[in-house]
Amino acid sequence: MKMPPRKLSTGKREMVSPSDPHYTEKRAKNNDAVKKSREKTRQKAKETMEKVSILKQENEMLEERIKLLAKELTFLKDIFMAHAGSSHGITVDDMEIKSLLEDDDEMIEGKECY
């Protein structure tokens, strides 16, 4: 389906005198709208940057917590293994804990990739 031909602009605009009160009022309203729009854009950019900063700080704290918890887990595993390996008559293989500990290692390695 063909579109109807467009009307070509002749480039003629109605000449409006800058001293015309209607024109002056429209320009003033437009200038105010532009100022308001630009201020709103600046405010939104500022809020976004503040949020980015807060999220970066929170992310750093969470990464430190992950490191701390990984160290704690390793420490507790070492204590458990030392205790399980002592002469209590219980072995790690008997309690099927070895596979659980391996699963924990895989889970920690996966989280450190984030």
Side-chain angles (χ1 to χ4, degrees):
M1 179 189 293
K2 280 191 168 184
M3 299 289 288
R6 288 183 166 200
K7 293 181 182 178
L8 297 176
S9 173
T10 59
K12 295 179 183 176
R13 282 191 164 195
E14 190 178 319
M15 294 302 291
V16 179
S17 171
S19 61
D20 179 16
H22 183 67
Y23 173 80
T24 306
E25 181 183 345
K26 284 180 90 173
R27 290 301 317 141
K29 283 184 179 181
N30 182 262
N31 289 343
D32 290 342
V34 167
K35 286 178 188 176
K36 185 178 177 182
S37 175
R38 289 180 181 159
E39 181 58 35
K40 188 176 178 182
T41 301
R42 274 193 288 272
Q43 183 64 29
K44 188 160 179 94
K46 182 180 175 185
E47 289 171 3
T48 300
M49 292 304 293
E50 289 172 356
K51 187 162 186 159
V52 166
S53 177
I54 289 168
L55 290 172
K56 280 183 179 180
Q57 289 175 345
E58 185 178 336
N59 192 36
E60 288 174 8
M61 289 189 317
L62 290 171
E63 286 176 359
E64 286 298 317
R65 181 142 191 241
I66 288 170
K67 288 178 187 176
L68 180 66
L69 290 172
K71 286 180 182 179
E72 183 179 350
L73 179 61
T74 302
F75 175 73
L76 292 172
K77 279 184 190 178
D78 290 344
I79 291 174
F80 177 79
M81 296 302 283
H83 182 71
S86 64
S87 59
H88 293 292
I90 300 173
T91 65
V92 175
D93 293 331
D94 291 340
M95 297 189 308
E96 298 180 9
I97 301 251
K98 193 171 189 177
S99 66
L100 291 173
L101 294 175
E102 289 172 358
D103 289 345
D104 284 345
D105 286 339
E106 291 171 5
M107 189 171 70
I108 290 172
E109 289 171 6
K111 285 185 179 179
E112 290 176 351
C113 293
Y114 286 99

